Amino acid sequence: MVKHMVMWSFKEEIPEEKKPELKAQIKEHLEGLVGVVPGLLKAEVITEPLAFSTRDLCLITELESAEALAAYAVNPNHVHVADTYVRPNVCDRVAMDFEM
């Protein structure tokens, strides 16, 4: 089993009043990939970090294997969600992958 964790900050040009809607969309669509992307067992998007956190969003996923993680990265459903909801709105991507 592999954990894949990604954290992002919103781009500076994203207005504060738009962030709750964007957080909800990102959460819905990334978590909705479970059962759609083979090998993706769990996905949780943290949208309300504590005030002293250095990122706005965190994705925590569990995948069957390192091979499943590699396939997830290029899966068309995942790429669509990333290109439509995530990448246009965030920057400062930080990721960590590890075996459990």
Side-chain angles (χ1 to χ4, degrees), residues 7-9 16 21-22 30-31 36 39 41 52 65 74 79 81-82 85 90 96-97 99:
M7 293 181 285
W8 305 274
S9 297
E16 284 298 319
E21 174 188 348
L22 292 173
L30 284 173
E31 290 180 358
V36 174
L41 305 173
F52 48 82
S65 63
V74 297
V79 171
V81 169
Y85 300 98
V90 300
M96 179 179 279
D97 305 312
E99 291 189 21

Side-chain angles (χ1 to χ4, degrees), residues 9-99:
S9 297
F10 279 111
K11 291 179 178 177
E12 287 185 25
E13 62 266 23
I14 302 294
E16 284 298 319
E17 62 272 8
K18 188 151 173 77
K19 289 179 183 179
E21 174 188 348
L22 292 173
K23 286 179 178 183
Q25 289 176 353
I26 290 169
K27 180 177 180 67
E28 174 188 351
H29 291 282
L30 284 173
E31 290 180 358
L33 292 171
V34 175
V36 174
V37 175
L40 179 61
L41 305 173
K42 293 181 183 177
E44 179 182 12
V45 177
I46 309 302
T47 60
E48 300 303 325
L50 296 176
F52 48 82
S53 297
T54 60
R55 298 292 186 269
D56 297 311
L57 295 160
C58 179
L59 168 66
I60 305 168
T61 62
E62 290 183 14
L63 297 106
E64 291 176 351
S65 63
E67 294 79 19
L69 175 58
Y72 165 80
V74 297
N75 180 282
N77 295 296
H78 170 254
V79 171
H80 171 74
V81 169
D83 286 348
T84 304
Y85 300 98
V86 182
R87 291 184 185 114
N89 299 300
V90 300
C91 60
D92 298 329
R93 180 184 184 274
V94 178
M96 179 179 279
D97 305 312
F98 56 94
E99 291 189 21

